Amino acid sequence: MSAFKSRALLERLIGFNTVSREFNLALIEFIRDYLADFGVVSELFFNAERTKANLYASIGPTDRRGIVLSGHTDVVPVDGQPWTVDPFALSEREGRLYGRGTADMKGYLACVLAAVPDFVAAALQVPVHLAFSYDEEVGCLGVRSLLAELAQRDPKPLACIIGEPTELRPVLGHKGKLAMRCCVQGAACHSAYAPQGVNAIEYAARLIGKLGQIGDRLAESEDLDLRFDPPYSTVQTGVIRGGTALNIVPAQCEFDFEVRALPSFDPQQVADELQIYAEQALLPKMHAVRPETTIHFKPLSGYPGLATDPEGFAAELIARLSGSSEFGTVAFGTEGGLFDQAGIPTVVCGPGSMDQGHKPDEFVSVEQMQGCEQMMERLVQWLREPQ
C-alpha cells in the first residue's frame, strides 16, 4: 500500500456515497469537523430542503484578497456499470487508487484538505479559501448560492483554482452548456383518420431536424476556436419520448437537447431560433387542425463557458504552481464559468484524468496525487511571500 499524505483523507471521502441524487451532509460535516480540529471555522450554505450544503472556509488574513481552492463533493452514479471493486471503498492496484470520485474529484479535495495543517501553520500573507459544492454533476446547481453570497462580500478573491481532473495540466477554458426540454402537445385520434389529429412525434421530428440544421450551420461557421475539439459550438438531441400505440396518432412527444457553446457564443440563440421556428412555421399548421395544441420549452440546466486571460494573474499563478505555461482547454464543463461571472478569475487544474471519470473502476494514480500535493506545497510557499 502506497503512503502519501492525502491517502487517509481520500479513503474517508470515497467512503461517502455522494451521488447527486443522494445527500452530501455526512461528507460536509466530516470536512467541517476536520477543519475545526485545526481551528478553521466553516460556513455552510444549504439547499432549500437542508439535505445538501456547500462549505466555505478561510485561512489567513481577512483584510486582503485570497485564493479559492474549489471542488464539488457530488459524484455520478454507478448503476449498471461493471465495477470490479467496491466503488465506495478505496482500493489500490499497481499504483492506481480505485473508487467513485477518485478522479472526479475527491482526489483534489483530499489533497487540499491534507494541506490544511500547512496553511494553518504558515504565516500566510495571502488568505486561502476552501469552497466545496454540491450538485455540480447535474448542472452546476449548488455552487450558485455560495457565489451569490460571495458577491456581497469584500474583498473579492484574487483567483480560483478548480481541481477537476486535468492530469495537473493548467486549463484556462471550456465550453458552456444549455440543456432544454421541448414538449409538443398534439391531438390524438385513430391512425385510420390521421389527418384529423395532430401527430406530436412528427412535429417533434421537424423541430429536431431544425436543430440539426442549426448544428450544421455552426459547424460550418468561420467563427472557430481552434483551442477546442471540436472548434465550434455543437447541438445534439439526446432523449425523446412519445406515443402509446402504432394505431393511435400520438398526442404527446417531448425531447431533450443540449448546446455545447464556445465561450464566445451564447447558446440561448439556438433555443430562441428553435422557438421562433415553432411559433412561425409549426404552430399555425397545428392550430389549423386543433387549436388547443401547443409547443413549449423548458430549461433543464446550463452553465457559462470559461475563457481566462492567458496574460492575467490567475494564469500566471497556475503556471507557477503547476510548473507549466502550456495552457489548454477541456471538453467537459466546470463551475469555472460561474466563478468567472462572479468576478473571480478562474483556472482548472487537478489530479487524474477525465478519461477515467464517470466510468466503472474509476481511478487516480498515486503519482498524480503526489504531484497535486507538491502543487499545494508550492501554493503554501507562495501564500507566505509578501505580495
Side-chain angles (χ1 to χ4, degrees), residues 200-266:
I201 289 178
E202 291 183 359
Y203 277 96
R206 297 185 193 187
L207 289 160
I208 293 170
K210 181 65 174 180
L211 282 173
Q213 294 173 12
I214 296 172
D216 290 343
R217 189 177 71 236
L218 291 173
E220 296 168 358
S221 169
E222 295 181 358
D223 185 19
L224 303 179
D225 190 334
L226 297 179
R227 297 175 301 168
F228 293 91
D229 181 19
Y232 47 84
S233 301
T234 60
V235 183
Q236 76 106 17
T237 302
V239 178
I240 186 167
R241 296 170 289 269
T244 55
L246 184 58
N247 62 350
I248 302 174
V249 171
Q252 289 91 25
C253 184
E254 64 180 27
F255 62 91
D256 300 344
F257 66 95
E258 69 170 18
V259 186
R260 298 276 180 166
L262 294 174
S264 59
F265 180 74
D266 181 1

Short mmCIF file of all heavy atoms in Angstrom, two decimals, residues 200-266:
data_model
loop_
_atom_site.label_atom_id
_atom_site.label_comp_id
_atom_site.label_asym_id
_atom_site.label_seq_id
_atom_site.Cartn_x
_atom_site.Cartn_y
_atom_site.Cartn_z
N ALA A 200 -47.86 14.50 -32.58
CA ALA A 200 -46.83 15.19 -31.80
C ALA A 200 -45.43 14.70 -32.15
O ALA A 200 -44.48 15.49 -32.16
CB ALA A 200 -47.10 14.98 -30.31
N ILE A 201 -45.28 13.43 -32.45
CA ILE A 201 -43.96 12.90 -32.80
C ILE A 201 -43.47 13.51 -34.11
O ILE A 201 -42.30 13.89 -34.23
CB ILE A 201 -44.00 11.36 -32.89
CG1 ILE A 201 -44.17 10.76 -31.49
CG2 ILE A 201 -42.72 10.83 -33.53
CD1 ILE A 201 -44.27 9.24 -31.49
N GLU A 202 -44.36 13.62 -35.08
CA GLU A 202 -43.94 14.16 -36.37
C GLU A 202 -43.53 15.63 -36.24
O GLU A 202 -42.54 16.06 -36.85
CB GLU A 202 -45.06 14.00 -37.40
CG GLU A 202 -45.31 12.55 -37.78
CD GLU A 202 -46.38 12.41 -38.84
OE1 GLU A 202 -46.94 13.44 -39.28
OE2 GLU A 202 -46.66 11.25 -39.24
N TYR A 203 -44.25 16.40 -35.42
CA TYR A 203 -43.86 17.80 -35.24
C TYR A 203 -42.58 17.91 -34.42
O TYR A 203 -41.74 18.78 -34.68
CB TYR A 203 -45.01 18.59 -34.60
CG TYR A 203 -46.02 19.04 -35.63
CD1 TYR A 203 -47.18 18.30 -35.87
CD2 TYR A 203 -45.80 20.17 -36.40
CE1 TYR A 203 -48.11 18.69 -36.83
CE2 TYR A 203 -46.72 20.58 -37.37
CZ TYR A 203 -47.87 19.83 -37.58
OH TYR A 203 -48.76 20.23 -38.54
N ALA A 204 -42.40 17.02 -33.46
CA ALA A 204 -41.14 16.99 -32.72
C ALA A 204 -39.99 16.67 -33.67
O ALA A 204 -38.90 17.24 -33.56
CB ALA A 204 -41.21 15.98 -31.59
N ALA A 205 -40.25 15.76 -34.61
CA ALA A 205 -39.20 15.40 -35.57
C ALA A 205 -38.80 16.59 -36.43
O ALA A 205 -37.62 16.76 -36.76
CB ALA A 205 -39.69 14.24 -36.45
N ARG A 206 -39.76 17.44 -36.77
CA ARG A 206 -39.42 18.64 -37.55
C ARG A 206 -38.55 19.59 -36.73
O ARG A 206 -37.61 20.20 -37.25
CB ARG A 206 -40.69 19.35 -37.99
CG ARG A 206 -41.58 18.52 -38.92
CD ARG A 206 -42.76 19.32 -39.43
NE ARG A 206 -43.75 18.46 -40.07
CZ ARG A 206 -44.82 18.90 -40.73
NH1 ARG A 206 -45.03 20.21 -40.83
NH2 ARG A 206 -45.67 18.06 -41.27
N LEU A 207 -38.87 19.69 -35.45
CA LEU A 207 -38.05 20.54 -34.58
C LEU A 207 -36.64 19.97 -34.44
O LEU A 207 -35.65 20.71 -34.46
CB LEU A 207 -38.72 20.66 -33.20
CG LEU A 207 -39.99 21.51 -33.16
CD1 LEU A 207 -40.81 21.17 -31.93
CD2 LEU A 207 -39.63 22.99 -33.18
N ILE A 208 -36.54 18.66 -34.28
CA ILE A 208 -35.21 18.04 -34.18
C ILE A 208 -34.43 18.22 -35.48
O ILE A 208 -33.22 18.47 -35.47
CB ILE A 208 -35.37 16.54 -33.82
CG1 ILE A 208 -35.93 16.41 -32.40
CG2 ILE A 208 -34.03 15.81 -33.93
CD1 ILE A 208 -36.34 15.00 -32.02
N GLY A 209 -35.13 18.12 -36.61
CA GLY A 209 -34.48 18.38 -37.89
C GLY A 209 -33.95 19.80 -37.97
O GLY A 209 -32.86 20.05 -38.50
N LYS A 210 -34.72 20.75 -37.43
CA LYS A 210 -34.27 22.15 -37.41
C LYS A 210 -33.01 22.29 -36.55
O LYS A 210 -32.08 23.01 -36.92
CB LYS A 210 -35.39 23.03 -36.86
CG LYS A 210 -35.05 24.52 -36.81
CD LYS A 210 -34.83 25.11 -38.20
CE LYS A 210 -34.64 26.60 -38.16
NZ LYS A 210 -34.42 27.19 -39.50
N LEU A 211 -32.98 21.59 -35.42
CA LEU A 211 -31.77 21.62 -34.59
C LEU A 211 -30.57 21.09 -35.36
O LEU A 211 -29.46 21.62 -35.24
CB LEU A 211 -31.98 20.79 -33.32
CG LEU A 211 -32.81 21.42 -32.20
CD1 LEU A 211 -33.05 20.39 -31.10
CD2 LEU A 211 -32.09 22.64 -31.63
N GLY A 212 -30.79 20.04 -36.15
CA GLY A 212 -29.70 19.51 -36.97
C GLY A 212 -29.19 20.54 -37.95
O GLY A 212 -27.97 20.65 -38.17
N GLN A 213 -30.10 21.31 -38.56
CA GLN A 213 -29.68 22.36 -39.49
C GLN A 213 -28.87 23.44 -38.77
O GLN A 213 -27.86 23.93 -39.31
CB GLN A 213 -30.91 22.98 -40.14
CG GLN A 213 -31.68 22.03 -41.04
CD GLN A 213 -32.99 22.65 -41.53
OE1 GLN A 213 -33.22 23.85 -41.39
NE2 GLN A 213 -33.86 21.83 -42.10
N ILE A 214 -29.31 23.81 -37.57
CA ILE A 214 -28.56 24.81 -36.81
C ILE A 214 -27.17 24.28 -36.47
O ILE A 214 -26.17 24.99 -36.58
CB ILE A 214 -29.33 25.18 -35.52
CG1 ILE A 214 -30.66 25.84 -35.87
CG2 ILE A 214 -28.48 26.10 -34.64
CD1 ILE A 214 -31.57 26.07 -34.66
N GLY A 215 -27.11 23.01 -36.06
CA GLY A 215 -25.82 22.41 -35.75
C GLY A 215 -24.89 22.39 -36.95
O GLY A 215 -23.69 22.68 -36.83
N ASP A 216 -25.43 22.06 -38.13
CA ASP A 216 -24.62 22.06 -39.35
C ASP A 216 -24.09 23.46 -39.65
O ASP A 216 -22.93 23.63 -40.05
CB ASP A 216 -25.44 21.55 -40.53
CG ASP A 216 -25.75 20.07 -40.44
OD1 ASP A 216 -25.08 19.37 -39.66
OD2 ASP A 216 -26.68 19.61 -41.14
N ARG A 217 -24.93 24.46 -39.43
CA ARG A 217 -24.51 25.83 -39.69
C ARG A 217 -23.39 26.26 -38.74
O ARG A 217 -22.42 26.91 -39.15
CB ARG A 217 -25.71 26.76 -39.56
CG ARG A 217 -25.43 28.18 -40.04
CD ARG A 217 -26.67 29.05 -39.96
NE ARG A 217 -27.03 29.37 -38.60
CZ ARG A 217 -28.21 29.13 -38.06
NH1 ARG A 217 -29.17 28.54 -38.77
NH2 ARG A 217 -28.47 29.46 -36.81
N LEU A 218 -23.51 25.88 -37.48
CA LEU A 218 -22.46 26.22 -36.51
C LEU A 218 -21.14 25.54 -36.88
O LEU A 218 -20.07 26.12 -36.72
CB LEU A 218 -22.90 25.81 -35.10
CG LEU A 218 -24.05 26.61 -34.49
CD1 LEU A 218 -24.48 25.99 -33.17
CD2 LEU A 218 -23.64 28.07 -34.29
N ALA A 219 -21.22 24.30 -37.36
CA ALA A 219 -20.00 23.57 -37.73
C ALA A 219 -19.31 24.20 -38.93
O ALA A 219 -18.10 24.08 -39.09
CB ALA A 219 -20.34 22.11 -38.02
N GLU A 220 -20.10 24.86 -39.79
CA GLU A 220 -19.53 25.47 -41.00
C GLU A 220 -19.18 26.94 -40.79
O GLU A 220 -18.70 27.61 -41.72
CB GLU A 220 -20.54 25.34 -42.14
CG GLU A 220 -20.82 23.88 -42.52
CD GLU A 220 -22.03 23.75 -43.44
OE1 GLU A 220 -22.66 24.79 -43.74
OE2 GLU A 220 -22.35 22.61 -43.83
N SER A 221 -19.39 27.43 -39.57
CA SER A 221 -19.13 28.84 -39.28
C SER A 221 -17.64 29.16 -39.38
O SER A 221 -16.79 28.31 -39.13
CB SER A 221 -19.65 29.19 -37.89
OG SER A 221 -19.20 30.46 -37.47
N GLU A 222 -17.35 30.40 -39.73
CA GLU A 222 -15.96 30.84 -39.73
C GLU A 222 -15.50 31.26 -38.34
O GLU A 222 -14.32 31.49 -38.12
CB GLU A 222 -15.80 32.03 -40.70
CG GLU A 222 -16.05 31.66 -42.16
CD GLU A 222 -15.85 32.85 -43.09
OE1 GLU A 222 -15.56 33.96 -42.57
OE2 GLU A 222 -16.00 32.67 -44.31
N ASP A 223 -16.44 31.34 -37.40
CA ASP A 223 -16.13 31.73 -36.04
C ASP A 223 -15.69 30.49 -35.25
O ASP A 223 -16.43 29.96 -34.42
CB ASP A 223 -17.34 32.40 -35.38
CG ASP A 223 -17.02 32.94 -34.00
OD1 ASP A 223 -15.83 33.13 -33.70
OD2 ASP A 223 -17.96 33.15 -33.22
N LEU A 224 -14.48 30.03 -35.53
CA LEU A 224 -13.95 28.83 -34.90
C LEU A 224 -12.95 29.21 -33.80
O LEU A 224 -12.35 30.28 -33.83
CB LEU A 224 -13.25 27.95 -35.93
CG LEU A 224 -14.08 27.50 -37.14
CD1 LEU A 224 -13.23 26.66 -38.07
CD2 LEU A 224 -15.32 26.73 -36.69
N ASP A 225 -12.79 28.32 -32.84
CA ASP A 225 -11.78 28.48 -31.80
C ASP A 225 -10.98 27.19 -31.76
O ASP A 225 -11.44 26.17 -31.23
CB ASP A 225 -12.43 28.77 -30.45
CG ASP A 225 -11.41 29.18 -29.39
OD1 ASP A 225 -10.24 28.78 -29.52
OD2 ASP A 225 -11.80 29.90 -28.45
N LEU A 226 -9.79 27.23 -32.34
CA LEU A 226 -9.01 26.02 -32.53
C LEU A 226 -8.44 25.46 -31.24
O LEU A 226 -7.84 24.38 -31.24
CB LEU A 226 -7.87 26.30 -33.52
CG LEU A 226 -8.33 26.70 -34.93
CD1 LEU A 226 -7.13 26.98 -35.82
CD2 LEU A 226 -9.22 25.62 -35.54
N ARG A 227 -8.64 26.16 -30.12
CA ARG A 227 -8.22 25.60 -28.84
C ARG A 227 -9.12 24.46 -28.40
O ARG A 227 -8.76 23.68 -27.51
CB ARG A 227 -8.23 26.69 -27.76
CG ARG A 227 -7.25 27.84 -27.99
CD ARG A 227 -7.44 28.90 -26.92
NE ARG A 227 -8.82 29.43 -26.93
CZ ARG A 227 -9.31 30.19 -25.97
NH1 ARG A 227 -8.58 30.51 -24.91
NH2 ARG A 227 -10.56 30.65 -26.06
N PHE A 228 -10.32 24.37 -29.02
CA PHE A 228 -11.30 23.38 -28.60
C PHE A 228 -11.44 22.28 -29.63
O PHE A 228 -11.17 22.48 -30.82
CB PHE A 228 -12.66 24.06 -28.38
CG PHE A 228 -12.68 25.03 -27.23
CD1 PHE A 228 -12.38 26.36 -27.43
CD2 PHE A 228 -12.99 24.60 -25.95
CE1 PHE A 228 -12.39 27.26 -26.36
CE2 PHE A 228 -13.00 25.48 -24.89
CZ PHE A 228 -12.71 26.81 -25.09
N ASP A 229 -11.89 21.11 -29.16
CA ASP A 229 -12.14 19.97 -30.04
C ASP A 229 -13.55 19.46 -29.74
O ASP A 229 -13.81 18.91 -28.66
CB ASP A 229 -11.13 18.87 -29.78
CG ASP A 229 -11.34 17.66 -30.68
OD1 ASP A 229 -12.01 17.80 -31.72
OD2 ASP A 229 -10.84 16.57 -30.33
N PRO A 230 -14.51 19.66 -30.70
CA PRO A 230 -14.36 20.35 -31.98
C PRO A 230 -14.28 21.86 -31.79
O PRO A 230 -14.71 22.37 -30.75
CB PRO A 230 -15.63 19.96 -32.74
CG PRO A 230 -16.64 19.72 -31.67
CD PRO A 230 -15.89 19.12 -30.52
N PRO A 231 -13.77 22.59 -32.78
CA PRO A 231 -13.52 24.02 -32.61
C PRO A 231 -14.74 24.90 -32.86
O PRO A 231 -14.60 26.07 -33.20
CB PRO A 231 -12.43 24.29 -33.66
CG PRO A 231 -12.71 23.32 -34.75
CD PRO A 231 -13.20 22.06 -34.05
N TYR A 232 -15.94 24.36 -32.71
CA TYR A 232 -17.17 25.10 -32.93
C TYR A 232 -18.21 24.64 -31.90
O TYR A 232 -18.05 23.60 -31.23
CB TYR A 232 -17.71 24.88 -34.34
CG TYR A 232 -17.74 23.44 -34.78
CD1 TYR A 232 -18.81 22.60 -34.45
CD2 TYR A 232 -16.69 22.90 -35.53
CE1 TYR A 232 -18.83 21.27 -34.85
CE2 TYR A 232 -16.71 21.57 -35.93
CZ TYR A 232 -17.78 20.77 -35.59
OH TYR A 232 -17.80 19.45 -35.97
N SER A 233 -19.27 25.41 -31.76
CA SER A 233 -20.36 25.04 -30.87
C SER A 233 -21.17 23.90 -31.49
O SER A 233 -21.32 23.83 -32.71
CB SER A 233 -21.27 26.26 -30.63
OG SER A 233 -20.54 27.33 -30.05
N THR A 234 -21.69 23.02 -30.65
CA THR A 234 -22.40 21.85 -31.14
C THR A 234 -23.81 21.77 -30.55
O THR A 234 -24.09 22.32 -29.48
CB THR A 234 -21.65 20.55 -30.79
OG1 THR A 234 -21.52 20.46 -29.36
CG2 THR A 234 -20.27 20.54 -31.42
N VAL A 235 -24.68 21.08 -31.28
CA VAL A 235 -26.07 20.87 -30.87
C VAL A 235 -26.37 19.38 -31.00
O VAL A 235 -25.98 18.76 -32.00
CB VAL A 235 -27.05 21.67 -31.74
CG1 VAL A 235 -28.48 21.48 -31.25
CG2 VAL A 235 -26.68 23.15 -31.77
N GLN A 236 -27.05 18.81 -30.01
CA GLN A 236 -27.45 17.41 -30.16
C GLN A 236 -28.71 17.15 -29.35
O GLN A 236 -28.96 17.75 -28.32
CB GLN A 236 -26.33 16.47 -29.72
CG GLN A 236 -26.12 16.31 -28.23
CD GLN A 236 -26.62 14.97 -27.68
OE1 GLN A 236 -26.84 14.03 -28.44
NE2 GLN A 236 -26.82 14.90 -26.37
N THR A 237 -29.54 16.22 -29.89
CA THR A 237 -30.72 15.73 -29.19
C THR A 237 -30.37 14.41 -28.55
O THR A 237 -29.90 13.49 -29.22
CB THR A 237 -31.90 15.55 -30.17
OG1 THR A 237 -32.17 16.81 -30.81
CG2 THR A 237 -33.14 15.08 -29.44
N GLY A 238 -30.63 14.30 -27.23
CA GLY A 238 -30.18 13.12 -26.52
C GLY A 238 -31.27 12.18 -26.06
O GLY A 238 -31.04 10.99 -25.89
N VAL A 239 -32.50 12.69 -25.86
CA VAL A 239 -33.59 11.87 -25.34
C VAL A 239 -34.88 12.27 -26.05
O VAL A 239 -35.12 13.45 -26.29
CB VAL A 239 -33.77 12.07 -23.82
CG1 VAL A 239 -34.96 11.24 -23.30
CG2 VAL A 239 -32.51 11.69 -23.06
N ILE A 240 -35.71 11.27 -26.39
CA ILE A 240 -37.03 11.54 -26.97
C ILE A 240 -38.03 10.54 -26.43
O ILE A 240 -37.70 9.36 -26.24
CB ILE A 240 -36.99 11.51 -28.52
CG1 ILE A 240 -38.34 11.93 -29.10
CG2 ILE A 240 -36.55 10.15 -29.04
CD1 ILE A 240 -38.29 12.22 -30.59
N ARG A 241 -39.23 11.02 -26.12
CA ARG A 241 -40.29 10.17 -25.58
C ARG A 241 -41.61 10.55 -26.25
O ARG A 241 -41.91 11.74 -26.38
CB ARG A 241 -40.42 10.36 -24.07
CG ARG A 241 -39.22 9.93 -23.25
CD ARG A 241 -39.35 10.38 -21.80
NE ARG A 241 -39.19 11.83 -21.71
CZ ARG A 241 -38.03 12.44 -21.50
NH1 ARG A 241 -36.93 11.73 -21.39
NH2 ARG A 241 -37.97 13.76 -21.42
N GLY A 242 -42.41 9.56 -26.63
CA GLY A 242 -43.70 9.88 -27.21
C GLY A 242 -44.41 8.65 -27.75
O GLY A 242 -43.78 7.64 -28.06
N GLY A 243 -45.72 8.78 -27.88
CA GLY A 243 -46.51 7.70 -28.48
C GLY A 243 -46.93 6.64 -27.50
O GLY A 243 -46.28 6.41 -26.48
N THR A 244 -48.05 5.99 -27.82
CA THR A 244 -48.57 4.89 -27.00
C THR A 244 -48.80 3.61 -27.78
O THR A 244 -48.59 2.51 -27.28
CB THR A 244 -49.90 5.31 -26.32
OG1 THR A 244 -50.82 5.74 -27.34
CG2 THR A 244 -49.68 6.45 -25.33
N ALA A 245 -49.25 3.72 -29.02
CA ALA A 245 -49.50 2.54 -29.85
C ALA A 245 -49.44 2.98 -31.32
O ALA A 245 -49.71 4.13 -31.65
CB ALA A 245 -50.86 1.93 -29.55
N LEU A 246 -49.11 2.01 -32.19
CA LEU A 246 -48.92 2.35 -33.60
C LEU A 246 -50.21 2.83 -34.26
O LEU A 246 -50.17 3.63 -35.19
CB LEU A 246 -48.36 1.14 -34.35
CG LEU A 246 -48.01 1.34 -35.81
CD1 LEU A 246 -46.97 2.47 -35.96
CD2 LEU A 246 -47.47 0.05 -36.43
N ASN A 247 -51.34 2.37 -33.76
CA ASN A 247 -52.60 2.75 -34.41
C ASN A 247 -53.28 3.96 -33.74
O ASN A 247 -54.45 4.20 -33.93
CB ASN A 247 -53.56 1.57 -34.46
CG ASN A 247 -53.95 1.08 -33.07
OD1 ASN A 247 -53.37 1.49 -32.08
ND2 ASN A 247 -54.92 0.17 -33.03
N ILE A 248 -52.51 4.69 -32.94
CA ILE A 248 -53.01 5.92 -32.32
C ILE A 248 -52.10 7.07 -32.72
O ILE A 248 -50.88 7.01 -32.52
CB ILE A 248 -53.04 5.82 -30.78
CG1 ILE A 248 -53.92 4.65 -30.32
CG2 ILE A 248 -53.51 7.13 -30.16
CD1 ILE A 248 -53.88 4.42 -28.82
N VAL A 249 -52.65 8.12 -33.28
CA VAL A 249 -51.86 9.32 -33.55
C VAL A 249 -51.41 9.89 -32.21
O VAL A 249 -52.26 10.17 -31.34
CB VAL A 249 -52.69 10.36 -34.34
CG1 VAL A 249 -51.95 11.69 -34.41
CG2 VAL A 249 -52.99 9.85 -35.74
N PRO A 250 -50.11 10.03 -31.99
CA PRO A 250 -49.61 10.41 -30.66
C PRO A 250 -49.96 11.86 -30.30
O PRO A 250 -49.77 12.77 -31.10
CB PRO A 250 -48.11 10.22 -30.76
CG PRO A 250 -47.80 10.31 -32.22
CD PRO A 250 -49.00 9.76 -32.93
N ALA A 251 -50.44 12.02 -29.07
CA ALA A 251 -50.82 13.35 -28.60
C ALA A 251 -49.67 14.07 -27.91
O ALA A 251 -49.68 15.30 -27.84
CB ALA A 251 -52.00 13.25 -27.64
N GLN A 252 -48.70 13.31 -27.39
CA GLN A 252 -47.58 13.95 -26.69
C GLN A 252 -46.25 13.43 -27.22
O GLN A 252 -46.11 12.26 -27.57
CB GLN A 252 -47.62 13.68 -25.18
CG GLN A 252 -48.71 14.40 -24.42
CD GLN A 252 -49.97 13.58 -24.33
OE1 GLN A 252 -49.93 12.35 -24.41
NE2 GLN A 252 -51.10 14.25 -24.18
N CYS A 253 -45.30 14.34 -27.24
CA CYS A 253 -43.92 13.96 -27.50
C CYS A 253 -43.04 15.04 -26.86
O CYS A 253 -43.35 16.23 -26.93
CB CYS A 253 -43.62 13.86 -28.99
SG CYS A 253 -41.93 13.30 -29.36
N GLU A 254 -41.96 14.61 -26.23
CA GLU A 254 -41.01 15.56 -25.69
C GLU A 254 -39.60 15.06 -25.96
O GLU A 254 -39.37 13.85 -26.05
CB GLU A 254 -41.22 15.80 -24.20
CG GLU A 254 -41.00 14.60 -23.31
CD GLU A 254 -41.22 14.93 -21.83
OE1 GLU A 254 -41.99 15.86 -21.54
OE2 GLU A 254 -40.60 14.25 -20.99
N PHE A 255 -38.69 15.99 -26.12
CA PHE A 255 -37.30 15.62 -26.35
C PHE A 255 -36.39 16.61 -25.64
O PHE A 255 -36.75 17.77 -25.40
CB PHE A 255 -36.97 15.54 -27.85
CG PHE A 255 -37.13 16.84 -28.60
CD1 PHE A 255 -36.06 17.73 -28.74
CD2 PHE A 255 -38.35 17.17 -29.19
CE1 PHE A 255 -36.20 18.92 -29.44
CE2 PHE A 255 -38.50 18.36 -29.89
CZ PHE A 255 -37.43 19.23 -30.01
N ASP A 256 -35.21 16.13 -25.27
CA ASP A 256 -34.21 16.95 -24.60
C ASP A 256 -33.04 17.19 -25.54
O ASP A 256 -32.57 16.25 -26.22
CB ASP A 256 -33.69 16.26 -23.33
CG ASP A 256 -34.80 15.99 -22.32
OD1 ASP A 256 -35.88 16.59 -22.46
OD2 ASP A 256 -34.57 15.18 -21.40
N PHE A 257 -32.59 18.43 -25.59
CA PHE A 257 -31.43 18.75 -26.44
C PHE A 257 -30.48 19.63 -25.66
O PHE A 257 -30.84 20.24 -24.65
CB PHE A 257 -31.86 19.41 -27.74
CG PHE A 257 -32.48 20.78 -27.60
CD1 PHE A 257 -31.71 21.93 -27.74
CD2 PHE A 257 -33.84 20.92 -27.35
CE1 PHE A 257 -32.27 23.19 -27.62
CE2 PHE A 257 -34.41 22.19 -27.24
CZ PHE A 257 -33.64 23.32 -27.37
N GLU A 258 -29.24 19.67 -26.14
CA GLU A 258 -28.24 20.49 -25.48
C GLU A 258 -27.40 21.22 -26.51
O GLU A 258 -27.24 20.76 -27.65
CB GLU A 258 -27.33 19.66 -24.57
CG GLU A 258 -26.41 18.71 -25.32
CD GLU A 258 -25.35 18.07 -24.42
OE1 GLU A 258 -25.51 18.08 -23.20
OE2 GLU A 258 -24.34 17.59 -24.98
N VAL A 259 -26.87 22.34 -26.08
CA VAL A 259 -25.91 23.12 -26.86
C VAL A 259 -24.63 23.18 -26.06
O VAL A 259 -24.64 23.54 -24.88
CB VAL A 259 -26.43 24.55 -27.13
CG1 VAL A 259 -25.48 25.28 -28.06
CG2 VAL A 259 -27.84 24.52 -27.69
N ARG A 260 -23.53 22.79 -26.67
CA ARG A 260 -22.20 22.96 -26.07
C ARG A 260 -21.55 24.12 -26.81
O ARG A 260 -21.19 24.01 -27.99
CB ARG A 260 -21.37 21.69 -26.22
CG ARG A 260 -21.96 20.47 -25.52
CD ARG A 260 -21.59 20.43 -24.06
NE ARG A 260 -22.15 19.26 -23.40
CZ ARG A 260 -21.78 18.82 -22.20
NH1 ARG A 260 -20.83 19.48 -21.53
NH2 ARG A 260 -22.35 17.77 -21.65
N ALA A 261 -21.42 25.24 -26.12
CA ALA A 261 -21.11 26.50 -26.79
C ALA A 261 -19.70 26.99 -26.50
O ALA A 261 -19.24 26.95 -25.35
CB ALA A 261 -22.11 27.58 -26.36
N LEU A 262 -19.04 27.46 -27.54
CA LEU A 262 -17.77 28.17 -27.35
C LEU A 262 -18.00 29.32 -26.38
O LEU A 262 -19.11 29.89 -26.32
CB LEU A 262 -17.25 28.71 -28.67
CG LEU A 262 -16.81 27.70 -29.73
CD1 LEU A 262 -16.46 28.42 -31.03
CD2 LEU A 262 -15.62 26.88 -29.25
N PRO A 263 -16.99 29.70 -25.60
CA PRO A 263 -17.18 30.81 -24.66
C PRO A 263 -17.68 32.09 -25.30
O PRO A 263 -18.34 32.90 -24.65
CB PRO A 263 -15.78 30.99 -24.05
CG PRO A 263 -15.12 29.66 -24.19
CD PRO A 263 -15.65 29.09 -25.48
N SER A 264 -17.39 32.27 -26.58
CA SER A 264 -17.80 33.49 -27.28
C SER A 264 -19.23 33.42 -27.83
O SER A 264 -19.72 34.40 -28.39
CB SER A 264 -16.84 33.77 -28.43
OG SER A 264 -16.82 32.69 -29.35
N PHE A 265 -19.90 32.27 -27.69
CA PHE A 265 -21.22 32.07 -28.29
C PHE A 265 -22.28 31.89 -27.20
O PHE A 265 -22.08 31.11 -26.26
CB PHE A 265 -21.20 30.85 -29.20
CG PHE A 265 -22.51 30.55 -29.88
CD1 PHE A 265 -22.97 31.33 -30.92
CD2 PHE A 265 -23.30 29.49 -29.45
CE1 PHE A 265 -24.18 31.07 -31.54
CE2 PHE A 265 -24.51 29.20 -30.06
CZ PHE A 265 -24.96 30.00 -31.11
N ASP A 266 -23.39 32.59 -27.33
CA ASP A 266 -24.48 32.47 -26.38
C ASP A 266 -25.40 31.33 -26.82
O ASP A 266 -26.11 31.45 -27.84
CB ASP A 266 -25.27 33.78 -26.31
CG ASP A 266 -26.42 33.71 -25.31
OD1 ASP A 266 -26.60 32.67 -24.66
OD2 ASP A 266 -27.15 34.71 -25.19
#
